[in-house]
Amino acid sequence: MTKRVGLIGFGGIGQSILQAWAAEPPLGYSLAALLVRPLQREAARWAAGPHVLIADTVDAFLGAQLDIVIEAAGQGAVRDHAEAILRTGAELHVISTGALADADFREQVFALVREGVGRLVVPVGATAGLDGLLAMQQDGLLRVTYTSTKPPQAWKGTPAEADFDLDNLLERRVIFSGPADQAALLYPKNANIAATVALAGLGFAETRVELVADPAASGNTGRIEAESRHSQLTVIVSGRASQANPKTSAITGMSVLSALKNRAGWLSFG
């Protein structure tokens, strides 16, 4: 049975998902609806094609009877729409996991899912190693550190601008060091992967995060370092930033389609 999929967001990540979907649609899934801002309707209609509902209200969007909703619109969209989506019984794929750094909101969403109201899915995103973290939980995780290194311009429009001259930075500088919840809430467009690592590992308070501005960096690099009672894990993923948004990696949107294909394929990786 074909699953009906809805996509929230028509920014850099959303557009990359649409382009990849058009090039190679995931088997067993149909893109049924796209939720955008009112001023984006015409551009979205052209990009998505004639068979996709273009909506600018969540009620119209959810009226498309969706089985799966992919969020690619930022933490605000998660906070605004997660409950309504889950209450339809749909499966919600969250890219902007930093919204879950808010403890009250996280508990509200998790309580719904625990009660069997919808399902919450966290795609791998622009990093790897989450499977290792999940396995190491069973072995007793002792520490987890996530380091995100990006060029200085990727940190513009963030709190780092108040403390650093990003246009004239000559050497690598740590612009934030602290727990994952603070990182995700202070840097909502840069540190969603820190939240994903926290969810897969020690939690928000115990996961250490460093955000780094490096003028020598040509793209975005994420590094996970973890230790359990019997194992150690180091994972480094480097890649180009999204052309539309240097704050995020180009691979982020592709992880969503990978998750769908993995679920539908004859060979899957749990």
Side-chain angles (χ1 to χ4, degrees):
M1 181 178 177
T2 300
K3 299 283 189 181
R4 293 174 60 82
V5 179
L7 173 63
I8 301 177
F10 191 61
I13 296 175
Q15 291 180 39
S16 71
I17 292 173
L18 285 175
Q19 291 168 3
W21 194 296
E24 188 179 351
L27 185 64
Y29 299 93
S30 171
L31 185 61
L34 176 59
L35 179 60
V36 301
R37 300 180 189 278
L39 293 178
Q40 297 174 321
R41 286 182 61 91
E42 291 307 313
R45 192 182 310 280
W46 181 85
H51 302 296
V52 178
L53 170 70
I54 307 300
D56 56 22
T57 68
V58 70
D59 288 340
F61 176 72
L62 295 179
Q65 298 181 327
L66 304 170
D67 300 298
I68 296 172
V69 174
I70 299 168
E71 172 276 316
Q75 294 184 18
V78 180
R79 287 189 289 268
D80 291 343
H81 305 315
E83 182 174 354
I85 292 167
L86 292 171
R87 288 195 181 280
T88 69
E91 186 174 283
L92 174 59
H93 291 231
V94 177
I95 291 178
S96 305
T97 51
L100 300 172
D102 182 312
D104 291 338
F105 175 71
R106 181 171 70 248
E107 181 52 35
Q108 176 186 341
V109 170
F110 284 7
L112 285 174
V113 177
R114 283 194 295 264
E115 293 169 7
V117 180
R119 185 167 183 263
L120 195 66
V121 176
V122 177
V124 170
T127 191
L130 300 188
D131 52 348
L133 281 180
L134 291 168
M136 291 171 74
Q137 278 188 351
Q138 308 305 310
D139 185 44
L141 268 174
L142 301 175
R143 64 175 184 88
V144 178
T145 300
Y146 175 71
T147 303
S148 175
T149 301
K150 300 181 182 182
Q153 63 267 26
W155 301 106
K156 288 189 174 182
T158 75
E161 280 194 313
D163 299 318
F164 301 92
D165 183 0
L166 296 175
D167 286 323
N168 297 295
L169 203 62
L170 299 178
E171 59 184 5
R172 180 184 186 274
R173 297 295 298 269
V174 176
I175 60 172
F176 172 87
S177 181
D181 50 359
Q182 291 184 18
L185 294 174
L186 287 172
Y187 294 82
K189 296 183 179 181
N190 295 80
N192 284 302
I193 297 174
T196 301
V197 170
L199 288 166
L202 281 176
F204 284 93
E206 299 300 322
T207 300
R208 188 75 179 177
V209 174
E210 287 197 345
L211 305 180
V212 178
D214 188 349
S218 58
N220 299 343
T221 298
R223 180 186 182 100
I224 300 173
E225 297 174 277
E227 181 181 357
S228 66
R229 289 181 300 172
H230 301 100
S231 301
Q232 291 185 333
L233 173 74
T234 300
V235 178
I236 302 173
V237 176
S238 297
R240 290 184 295 110
S242 166
Q243 291 184 350
N245 180 8
K247 291 179 171 58
T248 191
S249 297
I251 198 174
T252 301
M254 300 305 97
S255 69
V256 176
L257 298 185
S258 175
L260 294 180
K261 291 179 179 180
N262 180 46
R263 291 162 62 87
W266 62 271
L267 173 64
S268 64
F269 297 86

